Amino acid sequence: MLPDKQILRRLQQAVSAVLPEADLSMVMVRPCPDPKFGDYQSNALISLAKARKMNPRQLAENVLGKLDLSNICEKVEIAGPGFLNFRLKPAALAETLTAAARGEHLSFDQSSPPRTVVLDFSSPNVAKPMHVGHIRSTILGDCLARTLRLLGNKVITDNHIGDWGTQFGKLIVGWKKHLNAGALAADPISEMERLYKLVNAAGESDPRILDEARQELVKLQSGDGENLKIWREMLALSQKQFDEIYARLGIKFDFSLGESFYNDRLKSLVDELVGKNVARESEGAIAVFLEDQPQLKDKPALIRKSDGGFNYATTDLATLEHRLKTWHPDEIIYVTDGRQQLHFQQVFGAFKKWHAESQTRLAHVWFGSILGEDGKPFKTRAGETVKLADLLDEAEERAFNIVSEKNPSLPEAERREIARVVGIGAVKYADLLPNRQSDYVFSWDKMLALNGNTAPYLLYAYTRIRSIFRKLEAERQKMELNPAAPEEISLAKHLLNFGLTLEAVAGEYRPNFLCNYLYDLAGKFTAFYENCPVLKADKAMRDSRLVLCDLTARVLKKGLDTLGIEVVDQM
RNA sequence: GCACCCGUAGCUCAAUUGGAUAGAGCAUUUGACUUCGGAUCAAAGGGUUGCAGGUUCAAGUCCUGCCGGGUGCGCCA
């Protein structure tokens, strides 16, 4: 068991010995903000004492009387208003990391008990290009899936593709009247996009075209053979595009159940909600009113339009029901743009009225927009949305130019491969680094910068470690870590916090915690690297430092992998 | 009008149940052994955390008001 967990467990036991009724979930242990205080701290006793009108320092004394950590910690100190400061004994640090070096752990534990989590993210639309608007959901969702899996949870990823909606009326009209087969073969997404825009524009001046589109939609939804065939072809062409993008991003989904999958359930679902008095007629539509929530008082969720058609909320409720029945998850996480907050409040609220007994946690993990350097929504120079494929191309191209400049002697194929990893990694890292709820300004230069908190910087730190092992000639004698220099100790202790960081990422759905942890790790490694020779050190010290290098590389690699970023041995 | 989010160094961003002296990078200034990879490192300056109150042992974080910006608000998804 990792030291922080041991401290936590025994501290909780000691607290419960002194205050048997105390809520132990409030008792937490975290890394100290400043190493001068110690390695770990707990401030739980301050609030526990305040709530009971006790003196916090006296309570701390009493708890310490029941707390024996002498096998792993120095004497526990009470500081300030009642902080407990824990400092690891060097032997405990060395022992834990030596076990890690033997492959027994990598500074994190599996969650207990494992939970089943459904993750809904990415959700592109059929017949449209994937654009920057999809990138955050896709990358954030994938990272959360990886994090939760790493911690031992059962994760089901489901891509809720937009494959069923009013846009297909216009698309089918365009397909039937204006399709350019050659263009479709060359670039199907652009051709479908062209058709949609064409019919959309025509519809603005000629209402008969809109009427035609509505009729084609009705035919499609009532199962017309020809329209279904066209729809299926559009689906297949789009799926091919999605697959290409996801392959480049290294992302896989367990399921891709689009909106159309739930079509057959929508009518009966609305009937059921009306029958159960969850929903009722209002101004010709059917709505679920959520009076019990003040913010939603005047914001009912519409589940059937006055023309009999169904809404986004209807499909989402059917989807929710399907996921619960099929996978029995402990939690369902939706990763979408922040503009959908109201929508998810409505869907979750409506669901609670429908299934008050459900224990499944519903989480809307939302994120801010990507802005251009002018502070407005990120667009191309021509003012169009930036296509994801173009963005990835440019990232790789820019990375290729940098690699070629820095390392002209490498064969081109190798430079291409490095550029792929660095370019894609840089895009992902730039997206995961900001607090997800902030809007952020997209900048190529910042993203591919060689220093600062960027993917290339982390990858560079990794390649330096790999380089040491390439140069290593003599046999390693001992797999044992004995950090002595301050830079070694600081690095070693930071390695232990990988697990706490992963738990924070999973708990708050914030990958940027992991980015910042890895950046600190790379920084601490570099400080070590500058001050502590490895290959030139004498034998015992060299072996110990090799262990430290190896563990750092493994945590860096695993951490980057959790962010969805590959590594390279040279760059 | 109502609701949600945001306002932190010149710029772009951090800050883990409220927790100890608000941290990075860029830019600026100064410095480093022809290096276990200089795509590096060390150091300096730069802050009344939009404003005003309040709660607390402790507030960038919570509450109230104000100012400024963004987003959403019944038949799009």
Side-chain angles (χ1 to χ4, degrees):
Chain A
M1 194 189 289
L2 290 164
D4 62 282
K5 290 284 183 300
Q6 290 188 51
I7 294 169
L8 176 64
R9 177 185 284 191
R10 289 195 220 165
L11 178 62
Q12 288 181 337
Q13 287 166 353
V15 168
S16 115
V18 176
L19 301 171
E21 87 297 356
D23 175 10
L24 293 182
S25 69
M26 288 181 58
V27 178
M28 300 176 82
V29 169
R30 45 184 252 175
C32 278
D34 189 321
K36 80 180 179 201
F37 297 126
D39 299 321
Y40 299 98
Q41 66 157 247
S42 177
N43 54 30
L45 300 186
I46 305 172
S47 49
L48 285 174
K50 285 283 170 187
R52 290 164 181 73
K53 304 213 184 302
M54 298 167 74
N55 177 331
R57 293 187 67 107
Q58 184 56 50
L59 176 64
E61 292 286 359
N62 296 347
V63 168
L64 287 191
K66 302 280 184 188
L67 181 63
D68 179 13
L69 283 167
S70 56
N71 62 329
I72 55 170
C73 287
E74 309 286 5
K75 186 176 181 300
V76 181
E77 285 172 9
I78 303 171
F83 293 108
L84 293 184
N85 286 332
F86 305 89
R87 194 180 298 274
L88 288 182
K89 284 185 170 171
L93 174 64
E95 207 172 292
T96 306
L97 289 177
T98 300
R102 287 192 302 262
E104 292 171 21
H105 66 85
L106 195 59
S107 294
F108 63 88
D109 292 314
Q110 307 273 292
S111 335
S112 49
R115 298 185 310 139
T116 299
V117 180
V118 173
L119 256 163
D120 177 320
F121 63 97
S122 198
S123 311
N125 292 312
V126 164
K128 288 187 192 164
M130 286 184 79
H131 55 81
V132 284
H134 296 107
I135 198 174
R136 293 200 89 175
S137 174
T138 306
I139 290 173
L140 201 51
D142 179 57
C143 175
L144 293 176
R146 288 170 187 262
T147 306
L148 288 163
R149 281 201 178 111
L150 188 64
L151 291 173
N153 300 289
K154 183 180 176 196
V155 176
I156 295 148
T157 54
D158 184 12
N159 194 358
H160 193 61
I161 292 169
D163 65 357
W164 196 252
T166 47
Q167 74 269 30
F168 286 101
K170 290 174 183 170
L171 279 163
I172 289 173
V173 170
W175 187 283
K176 286 182 174 174
K177 296 170 91 169
H178 307 290
L179 184 66
N180 177 334
L184 189 75
D187 186 349
I189 302 299
S190 295
E191 174 62 5
M192 289 189 281
E193 195 187 18
R194 184 187 72 85
L195 293 176
Y196 180 79
K197 285 182 177 168
L198 190 72
V199 176
N200 204 36
E204 278 177 18
S205 54
D206 185 352
R208 282 175 305 175
I209 299 202
L210 291 182
D211 204 48
E212 208 178 326
R214 263 192 293 275
Q215 285 170 27
E216 295 293 4
L217 181 66
V218 171
K219 277 170 73 182
L220 171 69
Q221 291 181 335
S222 55
D224 174 78
E226 187 188 3
N227 282 9
L228 268 177
K229 186 163 172 272
I230 294 171
W231 173 73
R232 288 204 184 96
E233 191 166 351
M234 291 193 280
L235 222 65
L237 291 168
S238 297
Q239 188 62 49
K240 198 167 163 248
Q241 176 217 198
F242 303 153
D243 289 345
E244 281 168 18
I245 296 264
Y246 293 137
R248 289 183 76 178
L249 292 173
I251 292 174
K252 286 181 185 150
F253 289 91
D254 300 316
F255 297 91
S256 291
L257 302 177
E259 291 166 0
S260 63
F261 181 81
Y262 303 98
N263 187 47
D264 293 344
R265 172 63 175 134
L266 302 182
K267 185 180 181 308
S268 62
L269 185 145
V270 172
D271 292 343
E272 184 182 331
L273 263 59
V274 171
K276 289 183 171 171
N277 285 322
V278 173
R280 62 179 162 83
E281 190 276 336
S282 168
E283 297 172 32
I286 306 282
V288 180
F289 285 85
L290 305 157
E291 294 94 344
D292 45 329
Q293 298 183 57
Q295 313 137 305
L296 301 180
K297 211 168 185 317
D298 308 320
K299 310 251 181 287
L302 294 193
I303 57 171
R304 194 170 79 196
K305 300 189 276 187
S306 48
D307 70 0
F310 303 103
N311 304 66
Y312 188 23
T314 328
T315 315
D316 269 358
L317 285 170
T319 306
L320 191 37
E321 176 191 50
H322 175 263
R323 288 171 175 166
L324 291 175
K325 281 188 176 165
T326 311
W327 298 310
H328 308 286
D330 298 291
E331 182 171 14
I332 303 177
I333 300 173
Y334 297 81
V335 185
T336 83
D337 192 279
R339 284 174 293 197
Q340 295 188 37
Q341 285 177 87
L342 176 58
H343 167 72
F344 280 102
Q345 284 178 18
Q346 291 174 328
V347 169
F348 295 172
F351 178 74
K352 275 278 175 273
K353 277 189 84 168
W354 181 23
H355 285 293
E357 78 294 346
S358 172
Q359 295 294 308
T360 300
R361 182 174 167 191
L362 302 175
H364 180 215
V365 172
W366 59 270
F367 51 82
S369 317
I370 303 181
L371 307 176
E373 311 244 7
D374 57 358
K376 294 179 182 158
F378 185 47
K379 297 270 169 70
T380 61
R381 275 194 207 134
E384 300 190 326
T385 54
V386 178
K387 293 178 185 174
L388 197 41
D390 295 343
L391 183 105
L392 298 180
D393 287 346
E394 183 162 354
E396 289 189 30
E397 197 54 36
R398 283 172 180 260
F400 180 74
N401 291 338
I402 295 169
V403 176
S404 299
E405 181 194 321
K406 299 285 179 190
N407 252 321
S409 59
L410 288 174
E412 179 172 347
E414 222 166 294
R415 279 181 280 138
R416 288 276 170 209
E417 172 60 8
I418 291 165
R420 183 186 68 77
V421 172
V422 172
I424 303 287
V427 169
K428 288 190 176 188
Y429 195 82
D431 200 62
L432 294 169
L433 177 64
N435 182 320
R436 64 178 161 79
Q437 290 176 336
S438 324
D439 294 344
Y440 78 91
V441 174
F442 188 93
S443 155
W444 285 114
D445 292 337
K446 238 183 75 182
M447 172 181 315
L448 290 167
L450 312 163
N451 45 19
N453 195 349
T454 63
Y457 179 83
L458 297 183
L459 292 171
Y460 180 67
Y462 182 80
T463 61
R464 286 172 127 188
I465 303 177
R466 300 305 308 154
S467 174
I468 291 175
F469 283 95
R470 274 198 301 277
K471 293 224 160 104
L472 177 63
E473 287 165 358
E475 283 289 304
R476 292 165 71 179
Q477 312 282 318
K478 279 191 177 167
M479 281 293 234
E480 210 176 277
L481 185 70
N482 288 301
E487 294 84 2
E488 288 180 279
I489 293 171
S490 172
L491 174 60
K493 285 180 173 173
H494 193 65
L495 286 169
L496 292 180
N497 293 338
F498 186 39
L500 285 171
T501 305
L502 291 171
E503 286 162 20
V505 171
E508 312 256 328
Y509 318 110
R510 292 193 189 276
N512 64 312
F513 293 163
L514 181 54
C515 295
N516 287 323
Y517 169 80
L518 294 174
Y519 180 58
D520 284 345
L521 181 64
K524 284 174 188 295
F525 172 75
T526 307
F528 157 78
Y529 184 86
E530 295 284 327
N531 292 289
C532 306
V534 178
L535 295 177
K536 289 174 188 162
D538 68 56
K539 211 179 278 174
M541 191 178 273
R542 191 203 61 168
D543 284 353
S544 168
R545 288 179 175 174
L546 283 168
V547 168
L548 198 51
C549 287
D550 182 44
L551 279 176
T552 302
R554 277 155 60 186
V555 171
L556 264 178
K557 185 176 181 181
K558 180 57 83 181
L560 284 166
D561 179 61
T562 306
L563 296 175
I565 297 172
E566 297 175 59
V567 294
V568 283
D569 279 0
Q570 295 182 64
M571 62 187 276

